[in-house]
Amino acid sequence: MTIGILLVALLVILIGAETFTNALEHLGERLKISEGVTGSIFAAVGTALPETMVPVVAILSTVSTQQVREEVGVGAILGAPLMLSTLTMFLMALFAIHKRGWSDELRPERTGLRRDLSWFLLAYGFSTVAIFIPHTSMWARAVIALSLVLIYFIYLMLTIRASAKLVADGHGTAASEPLFLVRLFGRIGVPENMFTILLQLALGLTLIIFGAHGFVQGVEQLSVWLGLSALVLSMLIVPVATELPEKINSILWIRKRKDTLAFGNITGAMVFQGSLLPALGILLTPWAPRQEILAGVILTLVASSYLLLMARRGHLRPVHLFFNGLCYLSYIVIVLI
């Protein structure tokens, strides 16, 4: 029964992600914005909404004990950047190899990729420092939390400002396929306009949220059998469900050689989830230096720094992202063995 729920939820998420990405490409093309903005802001924040609710609900809920709520909240907040920077990059590389071969170079827009990773490392570095500040020093934690919100606001402004030049340089968003709703219902007079695009976006996001919710329910039932602690479970299993939309969107784009959208969808979500959500955790949870937390934070910083180094070198191939997969495997070994 549990496996059936997981498989159905996965199918719903896949359909929703395909619908969402198709509409997103048409929206970016109509608004004449760059692929970097479409991937790093629109796609990243839009598909991050389902998993954003997991730590929020966990922290603010009154159903479970305070310890369980805090462990699930902290694990979900820190598990998302860990998975995005490691396992998600590795899986995207695998599908790129399957479609494009081992030697094909990945060509995301470099300045946008470096900007995303640099701002993520800055924000996540602040979040890491906060782990070692006692919960009694609320003024210091409040300053760091406010700084994280400010960092994300500045990042948004810089990303949007860079859009016009990137479009002029040939990095504008271009839709590769007709809008799905027009393809299905064009014969009965459904036009391709802004309303239809927004309607398909809403439909795709609804399917993603519905599928992610079902997937989380399946994972919760599976967790009883696995017998993992709330913190480890939330860092390892919850992100698999809640980060699935980003992973599928990026896989769809990387197979179509839309590398800027594929990477921006992941790295933009890393900035979003490495700044705003940790601000919530810093203020409302102990945010303490436990072994599971420190291991996840360190490996996230290592994987992200490595990716930034490779982006600055100028040559990025799928095989390079295998290191990110090893970082995720290392975390599993540390917490489970």
Side-chain angles (χ1 to χ4, degrees):
M1 181 64 180
T2 300
I3 300 300
I5 293 175
L6 292 174
L7 291 176
V8 171
L10 178 62
L11 178 61
V12 173
I13 291 174
L14 179 60
I15 296 173
E18 182 74 36
T19 303
F20 187 85
T21 54
N22 174 259
L24 203 61
E25 291 176 12
H26 282 269
L27 179 64
E29 184 179 55
R30 183 170 289 268
L31 295 179
K32 294 182 172 58
I33 59 178
S34 72
E35 287 187 333
V37 171
T38 302
S40 296
I41 297 179
F42 285 8
V45 176
T47 54
L49 292 179
E51 64 267 20
T52 299
M53 295 306 297
V54 173
V56 173
V57 171
I59 293 173
L60 300 180
S61 174
T62 59
V63 177
S64 303
T65 65
Q66 181 177 355
Q67 180 180 350
V68 172
R69 296 200 309 267
E70 291 173 347
E71 287 187 351
V72 172
V74 172
I77 291 172
L78 295 178
L82 171 65
M83 182 176 174
L84 286 169
S85 62
T86 57
L87 181 62
T88 306
M89 289 289 181
F90 171 69
L91 290 174
M92 187 175 67
L94 283 182
F95 279 86
I97 290 172
H98 179 263
K99 183 70 175 181
R100 299 162 54 171
W102 287 84
S103 60
D104 191 36
E105 185 173 352
L106 303 175
R107 299 180 182 275
E109 193 277 307
R110 300 290 178 179
T111 58
L113 179 60
R114 292 195 295 265
R115 180 177 59 249
D116 285 0
L117 292 172
S118 297
W119 283 94
F120 167 74
L121 287 170
L122 175 63
Y124 209 70
F126 272 91
S127 303
T128 303
V129 170
I131 292 176
F132 300 97
I133 297 177
H135 194 252
T136 54
S137 303
M138 285 306 300
W139 65 270
R141 290 194 166 211
V143 169
I144 292 180
L146 182 61
S147 299
L148 291 176
V149 175
L150 182 61
I151 285 172
Y152 190 71
F153 176 77
I154 296 174
Y155 160 77
L156 283 181
M157 296 300 101
L158 292 176
T159 303
I160 293 172
R161 280 182 56 186
S163 177
K165 184 178 184 302
L166 291 173
V167 172
D169 292 342
H171 290 283
T173 303
S176 58
E177 298 178 352
L179 195 66
F180 288 168
L181 289 182
V182 174
R183 182 193 300 179
L184 292 173
F185 304 108
R187 293 183 179 180
I188 61 175
V190 175
E192 183 177 326
N193 53 28
M194 184 60 74
F195 175 79
T196 308
I197 293 173
L198 294 177
L199 178 62
Q200 183 172 314
L201 272 175
L203 177 62
L205 187 57
T206 299
L207 289 172
I208 290 173
I209 295 173
F210 180 76
H213 179 71
F215 201 87
V216 169
Q217 286 185 324
V219 169
E220 287 177 338
Q221 295 176 20
L222 190 62
S223 69
V224 176
W225 178 74
L226 292 176
L228 292 175
S229 70
L231 179 60
V232 172
L233 180 66
S234 58
M235 290 195 72
L236 285 178
I237 297 183
V238 172
V240 171
T242 57
E243 295 299 338
L244 205 56
E246 283 92 345
K247 182 174 64 177
I248 293 177
N249 287 338
S250 292
I251 287 173
L252 294 174
W253 276 322
I254 205 74
R255 289 171 61 86
K256 298 175 183 177
R257 296 184 179 273
K258 293 181 176 290
D259 297 345
T260 298
L261 287 172
F263 276 90
N265 189 33
I266 296 173
T267 57
M270 286 169 60
V271 182
F272 176 75
Q273 297 187 355
S275 55
L276 298 185
L277 290 185
L280 180 68
I282 290 169
L283 291 176
L284 300 180
T285 72
W287 206 251
R290 291 176 52 172
Q291 176 184 340
E292 303 94 325
I293 293 176
L294 289 178
V297 167
I298 291 172
L299 287 170
T300 300
L301 291 172
V302 168
S304 303
S305 299
Y306 165 79
L307 190 59
L308 178 59
L309 176 63
M310 298 305 298
R312 286 177 173 171
R313 286 183 56 187
H315 295 286
L316 186 62
R317 291 184 169 84
V319 68
H320 293 150
L321 301 182
F322 277 46
F323 175 81
N324 299 71
L326 287 176
C327 288
Y328 189 77
L329 180 61
S330 298
Y331 182 76
I332 294 177
V333 172
I334 290 172
V335 299
L336 296 183
I337 298 179

